[in-house]
Amino acid sequence: MKRFKEKTVVVTGGNKGIGLAIARRFGNEGARLAIASVESNVVEAARSLEDEGIAARGVVCDVTDKEAVRALYDEAEDAFGGVDISVQNAGIITIAKVENLTEQEWDSTMDVNTKGVFLCCQEAIARMRASGKGGRLINTASGQARDGFIYTPHYAASKFGVMGLTQSLAKEVALEGITVNAICPGIIQTDMWDYNDKVWGEMLGDYGPGELMASWVENNVPMKRPGSGADVAGLVTFLASADATYITGQTINVDGGLIMS
Ligand SMILES: NC(=O)c1ccc[n+]([C@@H]2O[C@H](COP(=O)([O-])OP(=O)(O)OC[C@H]3O[C@@H](n4cnc5c(N)ncnc54)[C@H](O)[C@@H]3O)[C@@H](O)[C@H]2O)c1
């Protein structure tokens, strides 16, 4: 089914992991894509989507830089027409005991995970308002927007922040045909989880590669499997679809039952 034919979608952090899976799913359902990343291989990632028959542009963009974010949305509009759907997915994590957590880690995590989401929403809303056609914003939070895990106070704070800005913006644009929702992935197998597994694993006990993730999944995820980017993409595309017209300001878990609140 081509639910997103003629729609233009921006996905930040779209060169790999969850973001690339989201982009691919939109593309397979007919959307045109501008994928953005601070990593230059986003251009190759877009090319590989094009090889799959998906209209895609790769844009190098640091989501903490307001001018770069403006240029990203300009490029999406110039290439494909107005922006219909924007997925704020770029994110970073570090893990440290509180006495070792630096101010720089605090600031950069808040900058990418919270301010970056805000700057992209701000730019997308301006364009959706100007078009008068409404739109959809989906912001990536985390299970850590529900329940802060150990050694990541900065990450948890940044993701709780995403939930708050999602609710506030949803109220502001509700009469303009724009919905704003957030998602909370649980344990999803990506480069980010490889880092988590190694660093949390070393800090929490004698875990070898992959063992911490396996243990958390076994003990805490009722479905007893980690998630995939495709699992997350299913929720994001639903929230962007015509079936989700009356859903806004929500934060929805996609985590195999890890967190049930
Ligand atoms: N993997 C998980 O288990 C998990 C769980 C909950 C939430 N999340 C969230 O999902 C999102 C995607 O994570 P992932 O697991 O795919 O991680 P990943 O490390 O594979 O990808 C992160 C993406 O963000 C991009 N990025 C980082 N800093 C950026 C910046 N300043 N400007 C633009 N792009 C930037 C990277 O280039 C990359 O594309 C993140 O927001 C993350 O916090 C992941």
Side-chain angles (χ1 to χ4, degrees):
M1 193 172 36
K2 301 272 186 199
R3 290 183 291 178
F4 303 107
K5 207 162 180 296
E6 305 299 319
K7 300 284 187 200
T8 301
V9 184
V10 173
V11 182
T12 67
N15 62 319
K16 64 180 185 178
I18 294 171
L20 182 57
I22 291 169
R24 179 170 282 117
R25 178 72 186 269
F26 273 116
N28 285 335
E29 296 204 41
R32 305 168 294 216
L33 286 153
I35 60 172
S37 169
V38 74
E39 296 172 279
S40 60
N41 70 3
V42 68
V43 175
E44 283 85 68
R47 267 193 219 118
S48 71
L49 289 174
E50 292 211 294
D51 290 343
E52 296 169 27
I54 293 167
R57 290 289 165 98
V59 183
V60 179
C61 167
D62 180 343
V63 295
T64 69
D65 176 342
K66 190 172 167 60
E67 287 313 310
V69 169
R70 180 167 297 151
L72 162 65
Y73 286 82
D74 280 346
E75 189 157 344
E77 282 199 324
D78 290 350
F80 302 125
V83 173
D84 302 289
I85 297 159
S86 188
V87 183
Q88 287 61 243
N89 163 81
I92 57 172
I93 192 169
T94 62
I95 300 170
K97 286 193 176 179
V98 65
E99 64 268 31
N100 299 327
L101 187 62
T102 65
E103 229 181 307
Q104 190 274 332
E105 278 174 289
W106 178 277
D107 289 345
S108 57
T109 303
M110 296 300 287
D111 269 2
V112 177
N113 294 2
T114 315
K115 187 174 95 170
V117 170
F118 166 67
L119 290 176
C120 292
C121 287
Q122 186 178 46
E123 201 58 47
I125 287 171
R127 287 155 203 265
M128 289 168 184
R129 277 180 166 158
S131 79
K133 289 195 296 181
R136 299 296 168 87
L137 302 176
I138 297 112
N139 299 328
T140 302
S142 165
Q144 292 219 49
R146 304 292 201 184
D147 190 11
F149 294 4
I150 192 168
Y151 304 144
T152 47
H154 52 323
Y155 183 80
S158 74
K159 295 297 190 177
F160 267 83
V162 169
M163 199 162 48
L165 80 83
T166 297
Q167 293 174 0
S168 177
L169 290 177
K171 287 179 179 163
E172 183 174 339
V173 299
L175 293 178
E176 298 171 76
I178 303 171
T179 67
V180 191
N181 290 290
I183 60 161
C184 292
I187 298 172
I188 313 295
Q189 231 154 4
T190 65
D191 288 356
M192 185 177 278
W193 238 98
D194 289 346
Y195 166 84
N196 294 350
D197 189 69
K198 181 173 182 312
V199 181
W200 259 324
E202 281 166 6
M203 292 172 76
L204 291 172
D206 194 16
Y207 292 98
E211 286 178 5
L212 180 71
M213 181 196 256
S215 159
W216 280 14
V217 166
E218 178 61 25
N219 295 316
N220 302 314
V221 178
M223 289 188 180
K224 295 202 184 295
R225 70 167 176 88
S228 65
D231 289 319
V232 180
L235 173 59
V236 171
T237 50
F238 164 70
L239 288 170
S241 76
D243 289 327
T245 305
Y246 198 52
I247 300 173
T248 198
Q250 303 306 305
T251 303
I252 301 177
N253 301 340
V254 49
D255 63 3
L258 172 65
I259 294 170
M260 297 198 180
S261 58

